[in-house]
């Protein structure tokens, strides 16, 4: 009898080993590739879900804790998600962009419960823009009459703002911020299961979650597998901080239509003014050998408002000059189960209009609303199909701000072409008319009325206004020809941008099937 029990026990053990081997082989797909082996050896199966080997589970992994990552971490954490944020450097960032939040972005900040993050950082209120050209200027105010008195734009030190959001996210018990560098997205059978990363001590770890959201910024090294990145660098910004001076219009951003391209001024604290000088192309004069200082003094300084001239020269003399490339990249996602791209890693536009943070915060609101009904996110293919609606629902806001940024930059740049000169002049004069001619474009710029059709109407209204100026009072063949080229030039500026954004998604999102995706049943 004992022998029979022993035989039965032996057969049961062999059968168990066979089943375990079969399951293991099926999971690995019979492959012996090192990346897959690394992924599968770090996975423990618990009730059919992927779990981290240290038992520290998360619903969402967020790569990057900049504006998008930190705001998203707090938003999802507040909704009860277990969030693990991995950020390369948790010290305060020091950037020369991401310092102006439009009123539309501030409204999104309120919607996310993060409006207190602009407090206690010496943020300055912004009520509109002042436009300067050839000794003339005009003030363009945000249409804020229908909003609460607190609603306006905000300008600040980017690093202080990000640190406030990180601190607020970290107060939630279900949000963990960790300093580390994500090196790889871990995939299994086409589904992203998590990430591999190095801690600040150099230890290599893996982390798994049903959803990984990549927000690692404009220099992202993870986006190639999640989108078709077509990065363009139309220009570079040269950044300076001016002190002990006052801008002509208090609490307004200042845009100088200079030659060869725009110059920006806005206050980032009670004592500091940020100056951003746009330099077309991907190369800038060298800072180290003094070429940059010479360029700023001889080419740029004569074009700045006299109120800030002395402070501008003094800042150059101090030598605290920084540069950064201005990137533009339309959103072209590759829907991937288990992963999503957000922020500058996903979509960039020229920073001339200060719309980047507004787009990021708007995207977070869209994603939050999509994820709220979901209780189980472990069915990656179903979740991926459902989240395809995110790419459509975000389009009206994102594409309006993206298109406006790209089009305005091209219009505001100086050009030897007569038609482009007329377009630039017409744009300044059109905005100076006041009424709907200024409030319409400014409401688009501010993110308060992000409607693509309104953008196209105003853009071509500027072009038609320019043609009218050419033909009145007496048209001539030369002026008619310039007018025709002006319309052609306007079309050549805006239509390629619209095409890159997606005509159907931008103007007719309701015709895209993903627009109507319902949450998964379970």
């Amino acid at each position: 009898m004992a022998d029979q029990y022993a035989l039965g026990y032996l057969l049961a053990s062999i059968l168990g080993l066979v089943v375990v081997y079969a399951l293991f082989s099926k999971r690995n797909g019979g492959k012996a590739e090192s990346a897959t082996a690394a992924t599968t050896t770090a996975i423990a199966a618990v009730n059919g879900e992927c779990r981290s080997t240290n038992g520290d589970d998360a619903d969402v992994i967020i790569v990057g804790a900049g504006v998008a990552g930190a705001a998203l971490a707090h938003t999802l954490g507040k909704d009860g998600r277990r969030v693990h944020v991995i950020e390369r450097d948790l010290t305060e960032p020091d950037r020369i962009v991401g310092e102006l939040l439009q009123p539309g972005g501030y409204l999104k900040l309120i919607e996310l419960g993060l409006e207190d993050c602009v407090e206690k950082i010496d943020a300055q209120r912004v009520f509109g823009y002042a436009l300067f050209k050839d000794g003339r200027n005009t003030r363009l105010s945000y249409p804020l009459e229908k909003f609460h008195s607190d609603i306006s734009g905000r300008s600040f030190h980017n690093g202080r703002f990000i640190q406030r959001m990180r601190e607020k996210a970290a107060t939630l018990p279900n949000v963990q911020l960790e300093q580390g560098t994500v090196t790889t997205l871990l995939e299994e059978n086409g589904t992203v299961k998590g990430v591999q990363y190095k801690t600040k001590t150099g230890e290599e770890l893996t982390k798994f979650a049903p959803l990984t959201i990549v927000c690692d910024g404009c220099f992202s090294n993870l986006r190639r597998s999640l989108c078709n990145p077509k990065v363009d660098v139309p220009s570079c910004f040269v950044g300076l901080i001016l002190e002990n001076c006052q801008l002509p219009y208090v609490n307004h951003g200042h845009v100088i239509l200079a030659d060869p391209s725009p110059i920006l001024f806005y206050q980032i604290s009670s004592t500091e003014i940020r100056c951003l000088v746009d330099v077309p192309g991907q190369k800038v004069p060298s800072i180290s050998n003094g070429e940059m200082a010479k360029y700023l003094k001889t080419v740029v300084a004569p074009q700045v408002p006299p109120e800030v001239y002395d402070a501008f020269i003094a800042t150059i003399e101090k030598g605290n000059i920084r540069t950064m490339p201005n990137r533009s990249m339309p959103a072209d996602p590759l829907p991937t189960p288990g992963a999503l791209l957000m922020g500058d890693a996903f979509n960039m536009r020229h920073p001339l209009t200060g719309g980047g943070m507004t787009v990021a915060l708007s995207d977070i609101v869209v994603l939050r609303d999509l994820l709220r009904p979901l209780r189980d996110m472990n069915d990656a293919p179903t979740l991926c199909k459902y989240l395809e609606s995110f790419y459509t629902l975000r389009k009206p806001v994102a594409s309006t701000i993206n298109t406006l940024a790209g089009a305005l930059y091209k219009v505001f740049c100086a050009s030897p072409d007569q038609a482009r000169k007329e377009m630039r002049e017409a744009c300044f004069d059109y905005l100076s008319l006041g009424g709907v001619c200024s409030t319409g474009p400014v409401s688009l710029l501010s993110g308060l009325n992000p409607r693509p059709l309104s953008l196209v109407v105003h853009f071509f209204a500027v072009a038609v206004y320019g043609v009218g100026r050419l033909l009145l009072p007496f048209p001539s063949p030369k002026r008619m020809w310039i007018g025709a080229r002006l319309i052609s030039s306007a079309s050549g500026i805006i239509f390629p941008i619209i095409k890159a954004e997606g005509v159907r998604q931008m103007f007719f999102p309701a015709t895209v099937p993903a627009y109507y995706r319902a949450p998964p049943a379970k």
Side-chain angles (χ1 to χ4, degrees):
M1 183 67 69
D3 290 339
Q4 289 177 341
Y5 281 128
L7 182 61
Y9 179 81
L10 180 61
L11 290 173
S13 299
I14 293 172
L15 182 60
L17 288 171
V18 169
V19 170
V20 170
Y21 178 78
L23 288 172
F24 183 83
S25 299
K26 183 178 180 181
R27 171 173 243 163
N28 282 277
K31 295 179 182 179
E33 297 176 17
S34 59
T36 307
T39 304
T40 52
T41 53
I43 296 177
V46 182
N47 295 327
E49 300 179 18
C50 292
R51 297 289 177 90
S52 303
T53 50
N54 60 7
D56 183 18
D57 301 317
D59 297 313
V60 180
I61 296 170
I62 297 176
V63 181
V67 171
L72 183 61
H74 177 267
T75 301
L76 297 183
K78 198 169 64 170
D79 281 354
R81 307 286 182 190
R82 296 167 299 174
V83 180
H84 190 126
V85 184
I86 305 171
E87 160 61 35
R88 183 181 59 82
D89 186 359
L90 285 174
T91 60
E92 184 176 305
D94 183 16
R95 302 182 64 203
I96 65 171
V97 293
E99 297 172 321
L100 195 150
L101 180 66
Q102 298 288 358
Y106 183 67
L107 286 172
K108 296 299 178 183
L109 208 63
I110 294 172
E111 197 171 342
L112 296 171
L114 291 166
E115 67 273 21
D116 56 339
C117 291
V118 296
E119 298 172 3
K120 299 179 182 178
I121 60 171
D122 200 14
Q124 304 297 300
R125 301 186 71 181
V126 182
F127 296 110
Y129 282 87
L131 208 59
F132 291 73
K133 184 181 187 296
D134 300 332
R136 298 175 294 152
N137 67 79
T138 184
R139 183 168 62 176
L140 309 171
S141 297
Y142 293 136
L144 301 171
E145 298 82 8
K146 297 179 181 179
F147 296 94
H148 186 272
S149 59
D150 183 56
I151 305 302
S152 66
R154 295 291 195 280
S155 53
F156 39 68
H157 280 272
N158 172 269
R160 296 176 187 174
F161 178 54
I162 288 175
Q163 287 301 89
R164 286 280 286 157
M165 289 200 293
R166 288 174 178 174
E167 290 165 6
K168 186 157 186 177
T171 61
L172 298 174
N174 50 322
V175 175
Q176 178 186 352
L177 270 71
E178 180 179 6
Q179 185 163 307
T181 302
V182 175
T183 55
T184 312
L185 295 177
L186 300 178
E187 291 190 34
E188 184 181 296
N189 300 326
T191 298
V192 173
K193 296 290 187 180
V195 299
Q196 181 174 321
Y197 67 103
K198 282 186 178 181
T199 65
K200 61 181 180 181
T201 60
E203 184 182 4
E204 288 207 5
L205 297 176
T206 54
K207 184 73 183 177
F208 298 94
L211 181 62
T212 299
I213 303 177
V214 176
C215 311
D216 58 343
C218 60
F219 298 103
S220 173
N221 62 346
L222 301 175
R223 63 174 160 227
R224 289 198 171 276
S225 60
L226 303 176
C227 73
N228 293 310
K230 298 171 185 174
V231 180
D232 180 37
V233 183
S235 67
C236 297
F237 266 159
V238 179
L240 306 94
I241 292 182
L242 280 55
E243 297 176 329
N244 304 316
C245 65
Q246 190 78 36
L247 287 168
Y249 295 94
V250 180
N251 297 115
H252 282 68
H254 290 57
V255 182
I256 320 299
L257 302 190
D259 187 354
S261 53
I263 306 166
L264 306 180
F265 292 94
Y266 51 89
Q267 203 149 355
I268 57 174
S269 77
S270 53
T271 60
E272 299 166 302
I273 291 171
R274 167 67 71 194
C275 172
L276 293 174
V277 178
D278 186 86
V279 178
Q282 299 183 22
K283 292 183 178 181
V284 296
S286 172
I287 296 176
S288 59
N289 65 11
E291 286 182 8
M292 177 64 78
K294 181 181 178 182
Y295 174 82
L296 293 174
K297 288 179 180 179
T298 58
V299 177
V300 179
Q303 303 183 76
V304 306
E307 292 88 342
V308 298
Y309 179 85
D310 290 341
F312 185 79
I313 295 295
T315 303
I316 298 170
E317 296 288 352
K318 288 179 183 176
N320 189 16
I321 303 170
R322 299 175 59 189
T323 65
M324 69 158 289
N326 293 324
R327 289 174 167 80
S328 176
M329 186 184 78
D332 189 7
L334 297 172
T336 304
L340 199 67
L341 268 176
M342 291 195 76
D344 283 350
F346 174 48
N347 183 203
M348 294 179 282
R349 77 290 311 147
H350 196 284
L352 172 70
T353 57
M357 290 189 289
T358 300
V359 172
L361 295 170
S362 176
D363 283 355
I364 291 170
V365 170
V366 172
L367 183 62
R368 177 201 64 183
D369 293 344
L370 286 171
L371 291 179
R372 266 185 174 168
L374 304 183
R375 291 291 169 262
D376 180 10
M377 297 196 298
N378 284 288
D379 187 349
T382 303
L383 178 64
C384 178
K385 194 169 184 65
Y386 169 60
L387 288 181
E388 283 181 15
S389 58
F390 166 75
Y391 302 118
T392 303
L393 293 170
R394 69 179 293 274
K395 269 296 177 181
V397 173
S399 60
T400 300
I401 293 173
N402 294 344
T403 304
L404 181 64
L408 265 188
Y409 176 71
K410 291 184 178 180
V411 171
F412 281 179
C413 284
S415 172
D417 181 72
Q418 188 61 37
R420 290 285 293 273
K421 283 183 180 178
E422 291 292 339
M423 183 72 178
R424 192 185 194 215
E425 186 72 25
C427 185
F428 180 87
D429 290 345
Y430 180 86
L431 293 170
S432 301
L433 291 174
V436 70
C437 297
S438 64
T439 58
V442 172
S443 65
L444 292 165
L445 177 71
S446 63
L448 296 172
N449 179 34
R451 297 181 181 177
L453 188 58
S454 178
L455 166 62
V456 173
V457 167
H458 279 288
F459 189 79
F460 279 102
V462 170
V464 171
Y465 176 75
V467 172
R469 284 159 27 103
L470 284 167
L471 299 184
L472 294 176
F474 302 108
S476 67
K478 181 182 178 181
R479 286 173 170 267
M480 291 174 67
W481 173 242
I482 294 174
R485 287 180 51 233
L486 192 156
I487 295 293
S488 174
S489 177
S491 301
I493 288 173
I494 197 167
F495 286 148
I497 303 174
I498 290 175
K499 183 181 178 183
E501 289 291 327
V503 176
R504 186 181 178 191
Q505 292 91 338
M506 186 171 174
F507 294 97
F508 312 105
T511 67
V512 180
Y515 187 84
Y516 301 99
R517 293 270 158 82
K522 63 178 182 177

